[in-house]
Amino acid sequence: MDIDLIFKIAAVGIIVSILNQVLVRSGREEQATMTSLAGLVVVLMIVVQRIAELFDLVKTLFRF
């Protein structure tokens, strides 16, 4: 497993949590929610790309 993937996901999580706290404390709960959702989408896109790479590898391995 690539350790860079874990660091990327952790970095996105840290940045999103900091932005979320700043926005909540300034009274912008809606923007904080949207920031959390955007962070979730970014992480899901990273994971989906890795899963697609895995499926391509399995496909080439079994030559389907």
Side-chain angles (χ1 to χ4, degrees):
M1 183 175 185
D2 195 14
I3 195 76
D4 291 338
L5 177 65
I6 295 171
F7 286 142
K8 285 180 186 178
I9 292 173
V12 170
I14 291 169
I15 291 169
V16 166
S17 66
I18 290 170
L19 285 173
N20 192 6
Q21 289 297 317
V22 168
L23 289 170
V24 166
R25 291 184 192 262
S26 66
R28 298 181 178 179
E29 288 82 14
E30 294 86 12
Q31 285 87 2
T33 303
M34 294 306 284
T35 304
S36 298
L37 287 174
L40 178 64
V41 168
V42 168
V43 169
L44 285 177
M45 288 181 65
I46 292 170
V47 171
V48 165
Q49 288 174 350
R50 291 297 179 144
I51 290 173
E53 290 174 9
L54 175 66
F55 284 155
D56 287 339
L57 179 66
V58 169
K59 190 165 104 176
T60 58
L61 182 66
F62 292 112
R63 297 183 186 144
F64 285 129

